[in-house]
Amino acid sequence: FRYFRFLWRATYLSAIAGTAYLAYGVYELRHPEEQFEPDPSKKNLVILGTGWGAVSLLKKLDTENYNVIVISPRNYFLFTPLLPSCTTGTVEHRSIMEPIRSITRHKKAAVKFYEAEATKIDAERKVITIDDNSDIKGASQKTDVSYDMLVVSVGAENATFGIPGVKEHSCFLKEIGDAQQIRKKIMDCVETATFKDQSPEEVQRLLHMVVVGGGPTGVEFAGELQDFFDQDIKKWIPEISDKFRVTLIEALPNVLPMFSKQLIDYTESTFKEEKITIMTKTAVKKVTDKTVEAEATGPDGKKTMEIMPYGLLVWATGNAVRPVVKDLMSQIPAQKDSRRGLAVNEYLVVQGTKDIWATGDCAVAGYAPTAQVASQEGAFLARLFNTMAKTDAIESEIRVLSEGLNVKPGNAAEVSSSIAAHEKQLRRIKDIKPFHYTHQGSLAYIGSERAVADVSWLNGNFATGGGLTYLFWRSAYLSMCFSTRNRVLVVLDWLKSKAFGRDVSRE
Ligand code: FAD
Ligand code: NAI
């Protein structure tokens, strides 16, 4: 009885604490404090991008130290780990978007935001050309923004390796628009396949969903897609239940190369159970509007060409460097050997430049292009810039004190000791350590309410997969969501899709 009373009290108190936390989160979101106006006499700190790197920097940056300007073609932050869930409606797209205005409005000093794409960075003149290609203006509008300090955090674009037909005929999975396009196309294929008088070959083609790239993006999407079919589409349109097929094509000998062998095997066997076909050692060479041509290497090393008709093709073969970054690299001799992005030093300064830093997928710092890395780099830069501002302030105080020492010799001892104290403080602050990445592990959803996790724990690695890992995956990503608002919306979406099923209407 005592045990139950304790349990009841603990639940009751946690419910009160949870509600209070939620209410505070909502209140804080809706009622930002008054902001200081930006101070034009301070240094112009320009941040390019509103993704993981940029937003994590912005979150921790003391904006009163700089005149901060954020430039990005996207006026929101996107929580990419749940993007595959948006392609099937498990999560609605707006639930994983956080307006950049709500982030900048909560800073102490106001931050300027320009919705535009940086098209050129002139490192010599310290000027960025930006292009506002908003629909409302019709034509593109270019202008220049100058900077004293610049952070390039523009991420990466989709790699296509120049394979013919990929750009024209594939869907990608990087932005909200991509997820919306996929969601629409899945239902388009399904509805067209059930249209009157379709030939059996055409039905087979339309219901063949091909995913190219067995990295985490491809695997997570394939899992979500099969779930959508098994849990919803099949129930409403039973006549196609034996015709819907998902095929995952990967050039390497296995999927998820960054995970441990045990989890790769687990993923492959789960896919087999889910009836997802995995074709490894198969590289796509050409894409047309209706077929994928791939070269498969057999166990004897013999190569054969396969032509596969498809209805939906999702291309997820990793990252390529954005044009604006390529152009910047071409201006800097020290970047001539860098292929994957801007080579940075241990303080994330772009090598061969002054006053330019880079974070995330566009920076080459020796880590994988993940959200985890980008957000730690952004947080590091915020600490660095906060420290630099403190250093500047102390140095100018020392200068004033030194001048005072010359003017008022009467106070010499007092002023000297104050200078010494300031110098000591300066040395301590200046001793900022280089960037160090802490890997917390890798997580991926693999469909049918199972996930795999390689978690770093107590200086060791812990590999796990299955239903419990799926609950861990959900709680980890929920806690990582940007705001209380995002968390509430994602939970409601999960409940909604569980209770009523995913929405199969084509918008
Ligand atoms: P991004 O987050 O891509 O942000 C780039 C920003 O720059 C965007 O705001 C963009 O609009 C802006 N921009 C682009 N061009 C310009 C320009 N010319 N001028 C100005 N701004 C520009 N990583 C994980 O660690 N865990 C995961 O579970 C995970 N899941 C993922 C799922 C998917 C589907 C995808 C695609 C990626 C996933 N990742 C995950 C990887 C992770 O999303 C990236 O590593 C991360 O987004 C990189 O952050 P970033 O700031 O460098 O770039
Ligand atoms: P990726 O680079 O991890 O994987 C792409 C895969 O495509 C590779 O395995 C490659 O061999 C294959 N490929 C390339 N060309 C091919 C071709 N012509 N035919 C067949 N296969 C081909 O790319 P992905 O999955 O988009 O991930 C990008 C980054 O984002 C990675 O760093 C990844 O770790 C991170 N990410 C992490 C997630 C997570 O932790 N859950 C989820 C999604 C992405």
Side-chain angles (χ1 to χ4, degrees), residues 227-371:
D227 282 358
F228 185 25
F229 179 71
D230 288 339
Q231 295 164 11
D232 299 297
I233 299 176
K234 206 158 84 174
K235 287 189 188 152
W236 309 129
I237 314 162
E239 64 267 34
I240 60 165
S241 56
D242 56 344
K243 297 183 188 102
F244 189 93
R245 288 178 302 140
V246 179
T247 302
L248 178 70
I249 304 179
E250 167 56 50
L252 296 176
N254 52 262
V255 298
L256 294 181
M258 65 291 288
F259 281 81
S260 54
K261 171 87 178 70
Q262 167 198 352
L263 293 181
I264 291 171
D265 292 345
Y266 180 72
T267 305
E268 292 186 349
S269 70
T270 304
F271 270 24
K272 217 176 196 170
E273 271 174 45
E274 291 168 4
K275 307 222 163 35
I276 296 173
T277 309
I278 300 184
M279 296 173 69
T280 50
K281 292 193 186 168
T282 307
V284 173
K285 300 285 180 192
K286 190 178 165 190
V287 170
T288 70
D289 59 342
K290 292 193 175 114
T291 60
V292 165
E293 298 181 21
E295 188 181 71
T297 310
D300 53 356
K302 227 173 112 188
K303 292 191 187 320
T304 49
M305 209 64 182
E306 277 199 49
I307 299 182
M308 287 166 269
Y310 71 85
L312 169 77
L313 173 64
V314 173
W315 193 266
T317 61
N319 293 343
V321 183
R322 285 198 191 277
V324 66
V325 173
K326 262 192 215 156
D327 179 75
L328 176 61
M329 287 162 73
S330 70
Q331 298 168 38
I332 308 163
Q335 297 284 333
K336 84 173 189 324
D337 295 325
S338 186
R339 293 279 163 273
R340 291 167 159 252
L342 292 161
V344 293
N345 72 11
E346 70 274 32
Y347 288 90
L348 307 182
V349 176
V350 173
Q351 282 177 6
T353 69
K354 214 172 147 271
D355 302 325
I356 305 183
W357 290 260
T359 66
D361 288 4
C362 66
V364 178
Y367 309 106
T370 64

Side-chain angles (χ1 to χ4, degrees), residues 163-170 172 287:
I163 296 171
V166 173
K167 274 205 173 107
E168 297 81 348
H169 306 298
S170 313
F172 297 101
V287 170

Side-chain angles (χ1 to χ4, degrees), residues 78-283:
L78 173 63
F79 186 74
T80 48
L82 290 179
L83 191 60
S85 304
C86 288
T87 59
T88 57
T90 312
V91 168
E92 292 298 335
H93 65 275
R94 289 213 173 249
S95 308
I96 58 165
M97 293 159 67
E98 184 66 23
I100 193 70
R101 300 287 181 179
S102 92
I103 301 166
T104 55
R105 186 58 189 85
H106 282 82
K107 299 306 293 182
K108 251 196 187 147
V111 171
K112 270 210 168 69
F113 172 71
Y114 298 134
E115 193 190 60
E117 188 181 329
T119 51
K120 175 138 188 102
I121 299 164
D122 187 333
E124 192 72 31
R125 288 170 50 230
K126 292 191 150 187
V127 166
I128 308 154
T129 305
I130 62 170
D131 187 0
D132 167 19
N133 46 16
S134 62
D135 296 338
I136 203 86
K137 285 277 187 187
S140 88
Q141 242 204 341
K142 287 197 175 178
T143 185
D144 285 351
V145 174
S146 55
Y147 66 84
D148 299 302
M149 295 158 75
L150 170 67
V151 178
V152 186
S153 197
V154 297
E157 59 179 29
N158 297 293
T160 62
F161 307 106
I163 296 171
V166 173
K167 274 205 173 107
E168 297 81 348
H169 306 298
S170 313
C171 293
F172 297 101
L173 185 48
K174 206 171 232 326
E175 300 290 344
I176 279 294
D178 299 332
Q180 286 172 305
Q181 193 195 2
I182 293 173
R183 191 170 173 187
K184 210 165 164 176
K185 229 167 163 185
I186 298 169
M187 288 321 297
D188 196 2
C189 286
V190 169
E191 295 298 357
T192 312
T194 54
F195 191 68
K196 192 169 170 281
D197 300 335
Q198 297 291 315
S199 70
E201 295 77 38
E202 186 60 356
V203 171
Q204 205 174 25
R205 176 184 80 77
L206 287 165
L207 296 178
H208 187 203
M209 313 278 143
V210 174
V211 185
V212 183
T217 305
V219 166
E220 290 194 328
F221 171 66
E224 293 277 358
L225 182 56
Q226 191 65 43
D227 282 358
F228 185 25
F229 179 71
D230 288 339
Q231 295 164 11
D232 299 297
I233 299 176
K234 206 158 84 174
K235 287 189 188 152
W236 309 129
I237 314 162
E239 64 267 34
I240 60 165
S241 56
D242 56 344
K243 297 183 188 102
F244 189 93
R245 288 178 302 140
V246 179
T247 302
L248 178 70
I249 304 179
E250 167 56 50
L252 296 176
N254 52 262
V255 298
L256 294 181
M258 65 291 288
F259 281 81
S260 54
K261 171 87 178 70
Q262 167 198 352
L263 293 181
I264 291 171
D265 292 345
Y266 180 72
T267 305
E268 292 186 349
S269 70
T270 304
F271 270 24
K272 217 176 196 170
E273 271 174 45
E274 291 168 4
K275 307 222 163 35
I276 296 173
T277 309
I278 300 184
M279 296 173 69
T280 50
K281 292 193 186 168
T282 307

